[in-house]
Amino acid sequence: MIIRPIGERVLIKSVKKAEVTESGIYIPDSAQEEKKEGIIVAVGTYEDGKELPLKAGDHVIYGGYKSDEIDVDGEVHMFIDFADVLAVVEE
């Protein structure tokens, strides 16, 4: 299935954070950082048709409170506004 976001939106697959340390200690939700991370799956365009400065496979940190979740091949993905993408993580 190919999904192409319309407008200034991106489709993200959320990255799960580790809930247990390497030594086996459980990390409660309240102790985990609140930053949201994900991998870009698909990218829309600006209103004038120009490409957004992101590409599929980019690892990003995003914010915002509004997202629309969908199920793609049994995995949860989210549509978020391009303006909610805070940074690209480079390794």
Side-chain angles (χ1 to χ4, degrees), residues 23-59:
S23 61
I25 299 172
Y26 173 75
I27 304 170
D29 289 337
S30 60
Q32 294 185 22
E33 296 179 32
E34 289 299 318
K35 69 180 178 182
K36 303 174 198 172
E37 295 184 42
I39 303 296
I40 301 289
V41 175
V43 181
T45 61
Y46 288 112
E47 288 183 19
D48 62 3
K50 292 183 182 177
E51 293 184 11
L52 297 173
L54 296 171
K55 63 185 180 307
D58 282 349
H59 183 173

Side-chain angles (χ1 to χ4, degrees), residues 8-10 52 54 61-64 80-87:
E8 295 180 22
R9 293 182 189 84
V10 294
L52 297 173
L54 296 171
I61 297 173
Y62 61 96
I80 65 167
D81 292 330
F82 170 66
D84 289 337
V85 177
L86 304 174

Side-chain angles (χ1 to χ4, degrees), residues 12-23:
I12 291 182
K13 178 181 174 186
S14 185
V15 173
K16 291 281 188 181
K17 297 176 188 160
E19 295 180 3
V20 179
T21 65
E22 290 180 15
S23 61

